[in-house]
Amino acid sequence: MELTAPARSTQRRPGVRDADGMAVASFVLGLLGLLVLNLVLGPIAIVLALASLWRGTKRRARAFLGLALGIADVVVLTVLVHSGGVWSFGG
């Protein structure tokens, strides 16, 4: 009689893989938003981070970093607009 290990299920909830991708995209866009186009990339990073957290991403830390960077993009934009009328670092 041969003993074999039980097959592990690799099935995940639908949408978790997409949520993981959204968490990474949020982080990358939030980071880029600090350098260029913070008017556009900051809010997109925030939305992607919140959507990935809502969908149950396994990359929660990356999603929270993307959320923080997206908020930082909006704060930097606000400071720049109030200090000198500049809309974005890149534009």
Side-chain angles (χ1 to χ4, degrees), residues 3-84:
L3 295 176
T4 59
R8 289 181 56 191
S9 176
T10 58
Q11 295 289 337
R12 296 197 302 182
R13 291 189 342 224
V16 172
R17 184 173 179 188
D18 292 339
D20 291 347
M22 282 192 274
V24 172
S26 171
F27 173 72
V28 170
L29 292 177
L31 195 58
L32 285 174
L34 287 175
L35 302 173
V36 293
L37 296 173
N38 47 3
L39 175 65
V40 176
L41 298 180
I44 292 173
I46 293 170
V47 169
L48 284 174
L50 292 175
S52 68
L53 289 169
W54 184 74
R55 286 186 176 192
T57 183
K58 292 189 175 191
R59 297 180 178 191
R60 293 181 56 82
R62 187 106 3 119
F64 281 119
L65 281 173
L67 180 63
L69 287 169
I71 291 170
D73 291 346
V74 174
V75 169
V76 166
L77 174 67
T78 304
V79 168
L80 287 174
V81 168
H82 286 299
S83 67

